[in-house]
């Protein structure tokens, strides 16, 4: 890929988070920059920095991370590579999961922990206010109103600009909106896994950004024969077709494909320029049972 890709993410269109943070709809998920199993530092720290800097060259202005990635490593990498941040860059992070060991992702949503997590992210990202702070998962041991209320307090104190949720159902979003303004939701969603279809529809109806994690099904979709056939027809790759479908699925969709490779980053970003046609959508409907803008059949 060449420098002709500079700014290509702009072709994905824009979405305004919370009414005042306009971002291009194809972002970058930084999770894969950490070591194996999202644990510890990357094998090549400078290469991780290079990926982050190249993301900005490609026009990506929305980065997603979490304090549990590493843990803590991912936020540190972003600050090392990009601070001081361009005014146009939105860095979103998450709190509410702890990693006592590599295989553990344990919810911890006590008010005390959420405050500590937010303060830690502020320090590691080297900012006075986090653009978008997302509750990584609801803690079933803590009343939801206590978790939402703590985020509301942090927002009122000026430590958080906007609040998002992750790994939630429609009922959780409705309950949270009784307490605070929810501007994004981040759930697992891709052509293969559409268990969050109702959440996508709810977010679309309410102008809430939807951030699909694992948008490429951990790379499985890049090997799908139907996607490969469509990609060949459109001079694109299967992964680019999968990302283009997400962008077409809803105007509030904000895919954040992640990678630790500049080459794969460039391939993913180029999906912003791919517009699927009716015959492509018919094939995807036949293969996956999907419709653009209308959920499933």
């Amino acid at each position: 890929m060449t420098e002709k890709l500079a700014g290509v993410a702009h072709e994905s269109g824009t979405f305004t988070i919370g009414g005042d943070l306009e971002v291009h709809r194809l972002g970058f998920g930084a999770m894969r920059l950490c070591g194996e199993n999202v644990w510890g530092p990357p094998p090549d720290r400078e290469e991780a920095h290079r990926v982050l800097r190249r993301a900005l060259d490609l026009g990506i202005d929305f980065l997603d991370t979490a304090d549990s990635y590493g843990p803590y490593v991912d936020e540190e990498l972003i600050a090392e590579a990009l601070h001081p941040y361009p005014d146009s860059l939105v860095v979103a992070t998450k709190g509410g999961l702890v990693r006592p060991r590599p295989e553990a992702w344990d919810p911890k949503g006590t008010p005390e922990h959420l405050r500590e997590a937010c303060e830690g992210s502020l320090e590691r990202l080297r900012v006075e206010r986090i653009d978008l702070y997302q509750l990584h998962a609801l803690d079933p041991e803590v009343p939801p109103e206590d978790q939402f209320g703590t985020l509301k307090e942090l927002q009122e104190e000026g430590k958080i600009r906007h609040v998002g949720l992750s790994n939630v159902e429609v009922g959780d979003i409705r309950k949270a909106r009784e307490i605070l303004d929810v501007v994004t939701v981040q759930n697992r969603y891709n052509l293969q896994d559409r268990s969050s279809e109702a959440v996508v529809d709810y977010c679309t109806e309410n102008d809430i950004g939807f951030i699909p994690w694992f948008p490429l099904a951990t790379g499985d979709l890049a090997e799908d024969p139907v996607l490969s056939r469509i990609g060949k027809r459109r001079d694109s790759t299967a992964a680019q077709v999968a990302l283009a479908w997400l962008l077409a699925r809803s105007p509030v969709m904000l895919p954040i494909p992640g990678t630790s490779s500049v080459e794969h980053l460039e391939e993913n970003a180029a999906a912003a320029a791919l517009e699927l046609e009716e015959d492509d959508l018919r094939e995807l409907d036949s293969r996956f049972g999907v419709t653009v803008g209308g959920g499933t059949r």
Side-chain angles (χ1 to χ4, degrees):
M1 303 247 179
T2 67
E3 285 307 312
K4 69 179 182 180
L5 286 174
V8 69
H10 295 181
E11 297 191 44
S12 63
T14 62
F15 178 77
T16 303
I17 297 172
D20 62 356
L21 290 178
E22 185 177 78
V23 297
H24 294 101
R25 292 176 56 218
L26 190 66
F28 177 71
M31 181 181 76
R32 294 181 182 275
L33 295 179
C34 299
E36 187 176 359
N37 297 319
V38 200
W39 185 267
D44 185 338
R45 205 171 188 96
E46 187 48 46
E47 178 65 10
H49 293 168
R50 196 164 76 92
V51 170
L52 287 162
R53 295 184 185 117
R54 182 60 175 150
L56 269 59
D57 293 340
L58 295 168
I60 292 170
D61 54 12
F62 179 60
L63 303 182
D64 179 81
T65 184
D67 66 353
S68 56
Y69 299 163
Y72 313 135
V73 172
D74 221 47
E75 293 177 328
E76 293 169 352
L77 289 170
I78 289 172
E80 289 168 3
L82 303 178
H83 191 273
Y85 307 112
D87 291 340
S88 60
L89 181 65
V90 173
V91 178
T93 192
K94 298 180 286 292
L97 287 180
V98 293
R99 306 281 307 284
R101 55 193 179 281
E103 66 274 15
W105 298 82
D106 299 335
K108 189 171 183 180
T110 62
E112 295 78 14
H113 174 74
L114 290 178
R115 282 192 161 274
E116 180 182 341
C118 180
E119 293 286 355
S121 291
L122 286 165
E123 182 176 349
R124 285 184 293 275
L125 290 171
R126 307 179 197 173
V127 294
E128 295 182 357
R129 181 176 65 174
I130 295 168
D131 289 330
L132 175 62
Y133 193 77
Q134 304 156 93
L135 181 63
H136 208 155
L138 278 166
D139 185 342
E141 303 299 321
V142 179
E145 56 268 24
D146 290 355
Q147 299 174 68
F148 303 144
T150 300
L151 296 180
K152 177 67 172 178
E153 291 171 2
L154 290 166
Q155 188 177 39
E156 291 172 343
E157 292 165 14
K159 296 175 181 177
I160 297 172
R161 185 170 185 171
H162 292 299
V163 176
L165 304 177
S166 185
N167 302 304
V168 290
E169 303 291 341
V170 170
D172 302 320
I173 307 169
R174 288 187 173 127
K175 185 175 293 185
R177 293 180 76 196
E178 295 174 1
I179 296 172
L180 48 74
D181 185 20
V182 176
V183 302
T184 60
V185 172
Q186 183 171 164
N187 281 11
R188 180 170 178 147
Y189 186 78
N190 54 61
L191 271 168
Q192 286 184 338
D193 182 353
R194 297 189 313 285
S195 55
S196 287
E197 205 75 67
V199 176
V200 174
D201 290 340
Y202 179 86
C203 288
T204 303
E205 293 162 6
N206 291 276
D207 201 33
I208 295 170
F210 183 86
I211 306 167
W213 59 271
F214 279 1
L216 296 175
T218 323
D220 290 350
L221 291 171
E223 307 299 325
D224 185 88
V226 173
L227 291 173
S228 296
R229 183 166 61 247
I230 296 171
K232 185 176 181 180
R233 189 164 66 228
R234 302 296 172 216
D235 194 25
S236 300
T237 67
Q240 289 167 347
V241 173
L243 292 170
W245 179 83
L246 284 171
L247 289 168
R249 169 64 179 86
S250 168
V252 306
M253 191 74 69
L254 303 170
I256 50 166
T259 179
S260 60
S261 158
V262 169
E263 181 181 1
H264 287 154
L265 170 68
E266 292 176 339
E267 177 186 341
N268 291 338
L274 174 60
E275 186 172 349
L276 298 178
E277 299 184 6
E278 286 301 320
D279 54 344
D280 305 325
L281 297 174
R282 280 193 295 269
E283 277 196 66
L284 292 172
D285 187 4
S286 177
R287 170 72 175 89
F288 296 101
V290 299
T291 55
V292 171
T296 57
R297 288 181 179 172

